Amino acid sequence: MARWSRLLPALSAADRRTVETGLVDADARIRAVLRRTATYYWGASVTRTSEWAVTESWSAERRRGAALAMHLEAATGSTPTALNDVLRNLAEGGPDWTRADLLWCLEVAGRGHGYDDGADLELPATIAAHLAPADLADLVPALSALFDDLTARHYPAAGPRRRVVTLIGEALDRATGCRVPSWLLHHGDEFGPLVRAGLGDVIAAPGVPELLAHCASLDKPAAPARWLRALDQHLSTATDGSGAVRAILEAFAAHGRSVHDDSDRLLRGLVWALSRESDEAATDLLAAVTAAASAAPRQASGFPHAQRTAIAAVHLLAGRDGEAPVRTLARLAATVKNKAVRARVQTALAGLGALRGWSLSEVMELAVDDHGLDPDGSRRVQVGPYEAMVRVEGEKSRLTFARGGTALRGVPAAVKETHADELKQLRDLVKGVNATLTAERQRVEALLSEDRTWAHPDWVSRFLDHPITGTYGRRLIWETSTDGSDWSAGVPRQDDDGWAIVGLDGRPARGDRVRLWHPVRAGVDETLAWRERVLATGLTQPFKQAFREVYLLTPAEERTSAYSNRFAAHILRYRQANALMRARGWQAGYLGTWDGGYDSEATKLFGGGAWRASFHHQLVDTDDPRDYDVHHCSTDQVRFARHDGTTWHAAPVTDVPPLVFTEAMRDVDLFVGVTSIATDPQWADRGADRFRDYWHRTVVGELTPSAQVRRDALARLLPRMAIAGRVTLADRYLHVRGNLRGYRIHLGSGNIMMEPNDAYLCIVPARGGTGRLHLPFEDDPMLSTILSKAIMLAADDSITDPTVLRQLAA
């Protein structure tokens, strides 16, 4: 029995007999009609069939009996037949409902099954909407508990649940005299009670409840003209209707959490109400609401806080003037994971770019928020007697305090006690700067697949003097040219004459056009020279550039033409692979043991959105028929498509630009190199495991391009290390001479084989094992792993880990 049903008053025996009189005959009568309409059950509404027309001639009492009989079936029947329309049709049109009818229906629903279709509550909700307040007075506790239960459920389906909640809420409001509709801003989430507590007088002002109810009635992202005319009427008649709209939206923007579907619908209507205001403050608020609605919990990045609101707000924001729309949408394009919202953000940005004469890539570039930082990436704020400074250091921002020029450790207690609001704003600033830094790193790296050039002044303002982007642009290699044919590479350097590109010879290269350097367009000697320069100068690039892998078309790919099989037939750890795909910006449906879940196609845009790469992979079943989890996947083809207007057309790999091809294949190589089971040395002990042969072939296989770049980096790093005399770099292995044994570390998988019998050695390296050694990039964890293992094995007589010692002794 449902919890709320225990609060129902008792139904007298006389009232029960009155309600149930003739119920058996009524049940037989209505079932006879339903049998004739059975063919329509799943194709159309039963009440719209010609067979149903006979019920229109029934008396009010006969319709009442039929409705009660079908309510009993809906609540307690063994088959969850969809009777929602049947019950609504019978309940309307004449029956004179009584308090006893409602109480009986609630009793039945309280002890019933409560199927997901919500039909068990259609009749009691309809009856409650017809009764006078006096008839509802002693039912308020039970109805209130039922209302709260419904708003907290994830079922019934949205339509029936919302209808029932609205009807019961309206009945409660009549019985209690509540001014603001109960079905608005209810207790189904934290946001509703927050608004009622903080803005109670605002939302109860004359005309405002009606305005809110109208906003919640919008069923689609785009508002029809008739709905907008009614909205304008409500805004004009409500007491400070515009102020109420802004106050609720400001509360949502500050809330920062997911809301109930009902709140989402209300907020969607409210952003349309806000869009009727054209001032800059309204634009800024709309931008804040768009960002808040599109944001998602960290553990559920594909589920925005308010998806309906986000979709409507993105459309409305794109039609506003100023920089706030461009900046907000550009940030969302890099952070939103939900496909529906992301697609609309990209469409909105493309539309904005077309209106302003920019490409989509340029829109993203111009919209990077500087957060009020100075060109050096810092911002100073006086907080009482202290000076607070937010400063970008590397790829993170930090908040520090000083007093009288003396740096302090941590946040002063006085600031926490007397300047809590300022401290919160500063911490929010740090959080915002870090989010922009993360998005910018991804955006700048994505430029490597584009053939873009910048005028020298634009390059300086966007990539060097910008407080956010500059932290990346100043550590990259660029090329400059005067004619677009001959390009000279160099790194940025600032002197009295401004920024210049300085080549390997130390002299500035002159040119009025600038582009990002990529090794696929450079000669081998030039690439090797830049790798040496990066190491020699101690430059840590934000991502692999000098040491970036290059993937050129192979004869096999030219023969297959339509696809590449270069990374097919690998076995990956699926959860890790899927997470890495998403982290690298690939969109992929999750594999699973359901219809359509055995194959997936991960896709990502390259070349500024002009090209799309597809990486196909399949589920690998487990040997345990009771295990439905997905542990592994197998890799398959990589395909490409070209964007043509609004459609994608498959393209042969020979037509794919080299920048696009090498960047896409680099990502796929990363998925295989990081998540393949070949990188797990414990597979060596799995006996007759069906993946054992694949593991053995791969752990000693030829090096992929990423492993070849790793080998080149090791060739330059190892002579600078203390273990230089104990290591030898071979074609596929790093040989390490320990004091107890000799070892070979495979440069692709990182697995270790002990000499002389090639026994596998399993070691989990400690973090920070490379000490203070400078690494030229941070996005190859295998390089750090190999160095950590080499350092440990070179001093194997100092190892104390018992699990390692047992393997060495064996």
Side-chain angles (χ1 to χ4, degrees), residues 711 714-715 718 723-737 743-745 747 755 790:
R711 185 188 184 284
L714 286 168
L718 290 171
I723 61 170
R726 288 185 168 269
V727 295
T728 304
L729 192 61
D731 183 33
R732 301 183 189 180
Y733 298 93
L734 175 63
H735 294 263
V736 181
R737 179 170 55 83
Y743 311 90
R744 288 185 298 149
I745 306 176
L747 302 180
E755 298 173 348

Side-chain angles (χ1 to χ4, degrees), residues 734-790:
L734 175 63
H735 294 263
V736 181
R737 179 170 55 83
N739 293 313
L740 302 179
R741 302 187 70 163
Y743 311 90
R744 288 185 298 149
I745 306 176
H746 190 260
L747 302 180
S749 65
N751 285 317
I752 307 167
M753 286 167 280
M754 296 184 289
E755 298 173 348
N757 59 344
D758 284 349
Y760 286 96
L761 175 62
C762 178
I763 293 180
V764 179
R767 292 186 178 181
T770 56
R772 297 184 179 181
L773 179 67
H774 162 67
L775 297 180
F777 45 81
E778 299 177 354
D779 52 356
D780 183 6
M782 185 57 71
L783 176 61
S784 298
T785 297
I786 290 173
L787 287 172
S788 298
K789 290 180 176 180

Side-chain angles (χ1 to χ4, degrees), residues 253-269:
H255 183 54
R257 297 184 182 180
S258 298
V259 297
H260 193 280
D261 181 67
D262 292 344
S263 297
D264 193 3
R265 289 174 178 273
L266 169 62
L267 291 166
R268 177 172 61 186

Side-chain angles (χ1 to χ4, degrees), residues 678-679 694-701 733 746 749 751 753 760:
T679 61
Y694 162 77
W695 186 88
H696 275 283
R697 287 195 312 271
T698 309
V699 295
V700 296
Y733 298 93
H746 190 260
S749 65
N751 285 317
M753 286 167 280
Y760 286 96

Side-chain angles (χ1 to χ4, degrees), residues 456-624:
H456 191 277
D458 291 339
W459 169 68
V460 169
S461 64
R462 300 177 191 180
F463 291 94
L464 303 181
D465 287 342
H466 195 283
I468 302 294
T469 314
T471 192
Y472 303 120
R474 293 188 289 269
R475 292 183 285 150
L476 293 172
I477 305 169
W478 300 84
E479 290 182 292
T480 186
S481 175
T482 56
D483 57 7
S485 298
D486 296 326
W487 293 87
S488 301
V491 293
R493 187 178 73 187
Q494 190 175 29
D495 52 31
D496 295 339
D497 296 329
W499 286 99
I501 293 178
V502 180
L504 289 166
D505 57 4
R507 292 183 296 180
R510 301 301 177 186
D512 56 1
R513 304 297 299 174
V514 179
R515 71 182 186 185
L516 199 55
W517 181 87
H518 196 296
V520 79
R521 291 188 296 212
V524 174
D525 292 341
E526 181 185 356
T527 300
L528 296 178
W530 276 115
R531 291 178 181 179
E532 188 63 35
R533 175 60 61 88
V534 166
L535 283 173
T537 58
L539 178 64
T540 300
Q541 297 196 289
F543 44 79
K544 279 186 181 180
Q545 189 191 25
F547 284 85
R548 203 166 191 83
E549 304 86 351
V550 171
Y551 300 80
L552 303 176
L553 276 176
T554 64
E557 287 164 340
E558 292 175 349
R559 286 194 299 271
T560 58
S561 180
Y563 58 87
S564 168
N565 259 342
R566 188 183 306 199
F567 297 108
H570 286 273
I571 307 298
L572 310 185
R573 299 185 294 274
Y574 180 63
R575 289 182 181 275
Q576 187 181 5
N578 183 264
L580 185 56
M581 290 178 203
R582 295 179 183 276
R584 292 293 300 170
W586 292 69
Q587 303 291 318
Y590 205 82
L591 293 173
T593 53
W594 50 76
D595 188 20
Y598 285 82
D599 300 276
S600 182
E601 177 186 5
T603 61
K604 182 181 177 179
L605 302 184
F606 292 90
W611 289 86
R612 184 182 69 189
S614 302
F615 172 44
H616 297 259
H617 51 288
Q618 293 84 33
L619 177 149
V620 176
D621 284 324
T622 64
D623 294 327
D624 184 354

Side-chain angles (χ1 to χ4, degrees), residues 364-380:
M364 305 278 289
E365 199 165 273
L366 292 169
V368 182
D369 195 349
D370 62 10
H371 296 281
L373 303 180
D374 295 331
D376 66 350
S378 65
R379 178 176 171 184
R380 292 171 175 81

